Amino acid sequence: MPSIKLPAPVMAFSIEPQAKGDEDKVFTALRRLQEEDPTIDLHRDAQTGQQIVAGLSQVHVEVIVERLHARFGAEVTLKPPRVPYQETIRGSAKAHGRHKSRPAGAASSATATSRSSR
């Protein structure tokens, strides 16, 4: 029998239990729901340390949260996942800009200087 190709999750949220003591309960319940619905993606982001739950849409993730509450009594909070910015300043840079304009006869100008360093 050929295997069914499931769509990849596209909507992801950071999920946190509302009560600190419910962490094990919430993540055990999420693993059970993942066994029932293989389109749910549950993982920990290595760079931010957040637990990420992803589904096919925002409504799908909201239904997952409702099922957590109804079946397992687990209260959770959904938040947008943090983006790990990896850009760093590696050297020094200096920039200078000048703007001149002459609207309706009166001259005006502006000068800006910017410097960044490690």
Side-chain angles (χ1 to χ4, degrees):
M1 182 173 193
S3 64
I4 298 172
K5 185 174 180 180
L6 299 172
V10 293
M11 184 62 84
F13 290 93
S14 168
I15 190 165
E16 297 175 0
Q18 287 184 352
K20 291 289 183 188
D22 287 348
E23 292 173 350
D24 290 336
K25 176 179 166 181
V26 167
F27 298 118
T28 302
L30 278 169
R31 291 287 177 203
R32 277 188 152 168
L33 290 176
Q34 189 178 29
E35 290 172 3
E36 295 172 7
D37 183 357
T39 60
I40 298 171
D41 179 31
L42 180 64
H43 65 277
R44 178 178 294 276
D45 190 307
Q47 294 175 335
T48 63
Q50 291 181 312
Q51 284 285 347
I52 305 295
V53 63
L56 300 177
S57 67
Q58 182 173 352
V59 173
H60 186 215
V61 176
E62 290 171 357
V63 167
I64 293 166
V65 170
E66 288 175 15
R67 286 171 47 193
L68 275 174
H69 177 65
R71 290 180 50 194
F72 303 100
E75 293 286 335
V76 295
T77 304
L78 292 178
K79 296 180 181 178
R82 284 186 296 201
V83 177
Y85 294 106
Q86 298 180 348
E87 296 179 11
T88 58
I89 297 173
R90 297 184 188 265
S92 299
K94 186 175 180 180
H96 180 76
R98 183 174 296 173
H99 175 73
K100 292 182 180 179
S101 95
R102 193 177 288 261
S108 65
S109 66
T111 303
T113 303
S114 175
R115 178 189 292 169
S116 66
S117 61
R118 286 195 315 169

